[in-house]
Every structure is written in structure tokens, then in C-alpha cells.
Amino acid sequence: MYVSLTSRPDLAVAANYFSQFQVCPNEIHWAHLRRVLRYIKGTLDFGLVYRGDDAGPLLEAYSDADWANEITDRRSVSGAVFKVYGATVSWSAKKQATVSLSSTEAELIALCAATCHGQWLVRILEDLGSKPVAPITYHEDNQSTMKIAANPKDSGRLKHLDVKHFFVRELLESNQIRIEYIPTLKQQADILTKSLPGPAFRKFREYLGLTSSRV
């Protein structure tokens, strides 16, 4: 858990998953855990690399959600990645507190959580003397979520999400954030929401800046 929170975002999904079964693990969990341990053993020299020539905006974010793929309770998983000058500095993989009724709802909950954390990062950067230029870009791969966040009309299907809906909308209207569409194949937060096939996992791991010290 410590490593997944401080230096290895590629382990965040595994830590989030196995933490749910600490009280009553079974043989299936142990079999899956052995695979994770073998992966860790083979990547002990991996870590986030920061370079002085990193290019990118002062702050940008990626937000994603994996809708209802957890068969035990059908709660979705939110994922978010935050980058400073193109380098990954913060990330999150967390199961949502409630069951989402659609992928749009799950993405909106994830986006709201990401913008809350983003506002905190903005204040941290201001304290360090590097105030980000508004609006902060949030990359989102669900176009329905983007339309709902930006549309001033009420949506009857999402009345129970009004607080999150209006919080994101207010940030948009005050020009503190902007939401840009990004294809799922380039959504860096995808690695923080679910297990992925090997090639996709390695691609997103590289996007996050996780490399071997032997390279």
C-alpha cells in the first residue's frame, strides 16, 4: 500500500483490490496475489523518473472510471492522474462509495473527485510559488459526462447527483477548469481503474513515467 501511494502507480489497482479482502482472503485471492508479487519481483528497479527537460503544462489531470465491473458489489472504481510539467506527481485508484446506475454517472463521480483533488493541488502549487494558469485541463473519455457537466439544462436522470454535477459545472463556468475529450486508448487514468492486457498495461505504465533504472 505504501509503495502504491508514493512511487508505483502501476500497483494502485492491485492494492485497491486486495485491500478489500484483508479480513477473509481465500485461495483465489492468494493465487492472484502471487502473480502480483512475481510482477513486483521482476520490476524492483522501476520507479517514477523526473527530468529537468520535462515538457507540458504546469498542471493537468486525467480522470476515468471503470463502471460496475466489480461483481461482489457492482461499485465502480475511480481513477485519476495529475501531472506537473508532464511528470506524474499524484494519482488515485478508489472504489466509489455508491453504486452507479450508468457509465456516465460513474465517470461524473470520478471527475468530481478528481477536480476536488485538483483544487487542492492548485493551492499547494501556489504555496510553492508556481500558480497554475487557469483553466486546468482535465482529460475525459466519456463524452456524455462532458456534455452533462457543461449543459446548463437539468437532467432528470441525474437528480440524485446534483451536488457533484453543479460543483463541476461551477468550476467550468468560473473558468477554473476545462474538460477535454481524450480517446480511451490514450486515457492514462485507465491503468488506475482496472486490470489491463499486458501491452496496454505497459503502454500506460510508460505514459505515467514509470521506467527501469537500468535503462
Side-chain angles (χ1 to χ4, degrees):
M1 179 66 77
Y2 174 78
V3 174
S4 72
L5 291 173
T6 58
S7 61
R8 293 289 299 270
D10 56 329
L11 301 177
V13 166
N16 178 63
Y17 174 78
F18 288 112
S19 65
Q20 303 172 55
F21 306 102
Q22 292 184 98
V23 176
C24 53
N26 57 37
E27 289 299 320
I28 295 177
H29 300 131
W30 178 241
H32 292 327
L33 181 58
R34 285 201 298 267
R35 293 189 62 186
V36 176
L37 293 175
R38 285 197 294 270
Y39 169 74
I40 294 173
K41 183 179 180 180
T43 58
L44 286 175
D45 59 333
F46 271 60
L48 290 170
V49 176
Y50 299 100
R51 301 180 177 88
D53 59 350
D54 283 339
L58 176 55
L59 180 64
E60 65 178 336
Y62 295 80
S63 173
D64 197 20
D66 181 40
W67 178 50
N69 278 336
E70 176 53 69
I71 62 174
T72 57
D73 56 15
R74 290 302 181 185
R75 293 185 182 182
S76 305
V77 175
S78 297
V81 175
F82 299 87
K83 293 195 165 189
V84 172
Y85 291 126
T88 301
V89 298
S90 184
W91 55 89
S92 172
K94 187 176 181 181
K95 180 180 283 191
Q96 295 180 0
T98 58
V99 177
S100 297
L101 302 180
S102 67
S103 59
T104 299
E105 181 177 329
E107 294 276 358
L108 183 56
I109 292 173
L111 180 60
C112 180
T115 54
C116 289
H117 189 71
Q119 293 299 102
W120 175 77
L121 282 175
V122 167
R123 292 193 292 271
I124 291 293
L125 288 170
E126 288 178 351
D127 289 342
L128 294 174
S130 299
K131 183 178 181 179
V133 177
I136 307 303
T137 300
Y138 287 77
H139 300 281
E140 171 63 55
D141 63 2
N142 187 293
Q143 298 193 56
S144 295
T145 298
M146 296 173 63
K147 290 178 180 178
I148 288 173
N151 192 346
K153 297 180 180 179
D154 291 332
S155 176
R157 296 181 296 110
L158 295 170
K159 284 185 178 179
H160 57 300
L161 281 174
D162 267 357
V163 174
K164 292 179 174 59
H165 179 193
F166 282 105
F167 177 75
V168 175
R169 184 187 297 172
E170 283 187 359
L171 293 178
L172 279 169
E173 292 178 346
S174 62
N175 202 41
Q176 295 183 60
I177 70 169
R178 68 177 171 213
I179 305 173
E180 289 189 358
Y181 175 75
I182 189 171
T184 300
L185 293 177
K186 295 183 179 180
Q187 174 56 274
Q188 298 184 27
D190 201 29
I191 195 175
L192 296 164
T193 63
K194 57 182 175 290
S195 59
L196 297 170
F201 180 85
R202 288 188 289 271
K203 178 184 70 174
F204 285 122
R205 184 179 65 186
E206 185 176 348
Y207 282 169
L208 294 179
L210 274 165
T211 58
S212 170
S213 60
R214 290 178 292 183
V215 176

